[in-house]
Amino acid sequence: MKTAVIGSGSWGTALAQVLADNNQDVILYGIDENQVKDINENHKNSVFFPETDLNPDLKATSDLNAVKDAEIILLAVPSIAIGSVAKQINDLVDHPVIVVNVAKGFHPETNERMSVAIRRVMDPEKLSSVVSLIGPSHAEEVVERQLTSIDAVSQKEEDAKTVQNLFSNDYLRIYTGDDEIGSELGAAVKNVMAIASGIIAGLGYKDNTRAALITRGLQEMIRFGMEFGGRPQTFIGLTGVGDLIVTCSSENSRNFQAGYTIGKENDVKHFLETNKKTTEGIRTAKIVHELAAEKGIDMPICEEVYQILYEGKEPALCANDLMLRDLKREF
């Protein structure tokens, strides 16, 4: 099947290479002409993977018209750009396509989940379904062909299976799922938890603290997801605890790195003034705070992250306040 991958960042490049490895007909779209040239002529994406040689069969383009004859279009762009990119695709295609989304978070203006935002923007006759690729994965490892397992989640099982078969190989194993709500909310909340994990590491706390954070963070993820219709079993799978563990434990995570810088300085001001990278958890923390307040959901870790990012609370005080909350049963 002809696949167009939109976004030549780390994740888009890694997933496009998976398809090239699988001998699929794939084209990678990017807006940076130098990056496109680097991929086509040097078989490298030096901006993101300077030490990695890409599959020489992988081709890139800066012409978005490449989507016109695609049957599958994978969106590997930041959540803030999902709506506008989906609208561009909608204007170019004249047939039903499967849209595969890998962005995690919420629409910045409507607070919609990514799949909901895509369905709102695209005409029904041009959209077979949205399939979300979600799970414990870093692009830096997938591009090196490290063994990885993630989920293809969709309301349309047939399309989820199509994506599963398209991407699966001896180093990337894809499972299917249909709990779109639980999977997408888990993928969003875990970015907030990754910031919290980075903060505690920056403050000097170690394994005991991180284990407690991940475990209690999982409980917040479950409470939040179930309130909006997610199924509890989803959160003990790859898109829940799996994604949570890898994002909270790896320095490859931008959200973890952001939190680490904030914790190390015990202050958020300098990070917010100097950060140039897309850090999805920052925007997500605000949306989770607003939705939790609206629904009355107890989210103490997410709330402390919000207080640090948006109210300027000292990180060390947040850690202390979490430890001194009223004592209670675990379950």
Side-chain angles (χ1 to χ4, degrees):
M1 300 182 75
K2 176 65 180 293
T3 302
V5 176
I6 310 303
S8 57
S10 58
W11 203 206
T13 301
L15 289 172
Q17 176 170 262
V18 170
L19 295 180
D21 286 351
N22 291 356
N23 298 313
Q24 297 293 331
D25 185 0
V26 57
I27 187 73
L28 175 61
Y29 168 82
I31 59 175
D32 188 326
E33 292 283 0
N34 291 328
Q35 203 173 27
V36 168
K37 183 178 180 181
D38 192 24
I39 293 167
N40 287 333
E41 297 183 4
N42 304 320
H43 311 305
K44 298 181 79 70
N45 188 334
S46 302
V47 174
F48 295 97
F49 309 118
E51 306 300 322
T52 302
D53 292 327
L54 300 174
N55 186 319
D57 292 332
L58 177 60
K59 302 302 178 186
T61 182
S62 57
D63 183 2
L64 192 57
N65 285 306
V67 304
K68 284 186 173 181
D69 59 346
E71 299 165 271
I72 295 178
I73 301 174
L74 186 147
L75 303 184
V77 298
S79 60
I80 195 170
I82 282 290
S84 60
V85 173
K87 178 65 169 63
Q88 287 179 280
I89 290 168
N90 187 73
D91 292 342
L92 288 170
V93 299
D94 61 2
H95 58 279
V97 296
I98 299 172
V99 173
V100 179
N101 172 58
V102 298
K104 302 173 179 69
F106 299 93
H107 189 283
E109 296 172 354
T110 64
N111 290 356
E112 294 168 309
R113 291 181 289 106
M114 293 291 93
S115 61
V116 175
I118 293 167
R119 283 194 292 268
R120 174 175 55 82
V121 170
M122 294 191 66
D123 298 334
E125 64 272 17
K126 295 182 179 181
L127 182 63
S128 177
S129 74
V130 180
V131 180
S132 299
L133 278 180
I134 303 174
S137 52
H138 291 305
E140 294 84 357
E141 296 186 13
V142 172
V143 81
E144 294 176 352
R145 303 177 178 87
Q146 295 285 320
L147 304 185
T148 303
S149 291
I150 58 177
D151 282 0
V153 182
S154 180
Q155 295 178 349
K156 189 172 180 180
E157 185 178 12
E158 178 185 351
D159 286 353
K161 287 181 177 178
T162 296
V163 172
Q164 177 186 45
N165 290 323
L166 195 70
F167 283 88
S168 292
N169 57 27
D170 61 353
Y171 64 86
L172 182 62
R173 181 174 176 82
I174 310 291
Y175 292 87
T176 61
D178 62 1
D179 184 4
E180 186 182 82
I181 295 172
S183 295
E184 289 188 66
L185 291 182
V189 173
K190 59 91 178 176
N191 282 332
V192 183
M193 295 302 169
I195 292 177
S197 183
I199 289 172
I200 63 170
L203 288 170
Y205 295 107
K206 298 182 180 179
D207 292 347
N208 291 358
T209 316
R210 180 172 296 129
L213 174 79
I214 290 173
T215 306
R216 297 309 302 167
L218 177 61
Q219 293 305 310
E220 291 190 26
M221 182 187 290
I222 293 171
R223 283 198 296 271
F224 188 83
M226 288 181 63
E227 180 66 32
F228 292 94
R231 297 197 295 267
Q233 64 266 33
T234 298
F235 301 100
I236 59 171
L238 290 170
T239 65
V241 67
D243 212 358
L244 182 66
I245 289 170
V246 76
T247 313
C248 287
S249 304
S250 174
E251 294 180 2
N252 283 329
S253 164
R254 289 183 181 182
N255 293 285
F256 180 91
Q257 290 174 351
Y260 184 83
T261 300
I262 294 166
K264 195 76 172 175
E265 297 178 354
N266 198 28
D267 184 77
V268 73
K269 185 178 179 181
H270 182 257
F271 171 79
L272 293 179
E273 289 175 346
T274 59
N275 178 51
K276 305 296 184 186
K277 296 180 179 180
T278 300
T279 308
E280 296 285 5
I282 295 176
R283 192 162 47 248
T284 299
K286 185 174 187 293
I287 296 171
V288 169
H289 162 79
E290 293 170 352
L291 293 175
E294 180 184 316
K295 294 284 189 178
I297 311 169
D298 186 28
M299 305 281 284
I301 298 173
C302 287
E303 180 60 25
E304 293 295 344
V305 173
Y306 171 81
Q307 290 289 330
I308 292 169
L309 293 174
Y310 292 94
E311 303 293 338
K313 186 174 180 180
E314 185 179 311
L317 289 178
C318 289
N320 189 63
D321 288 348
L322 282 171
M323 291 301 291
L324 294 178
R325 295 175 70 234
D326 289 344
L327 301 176
K328 62 179 184 178
R329 291 174 59 91
E330 183 177 9
F331 300 110

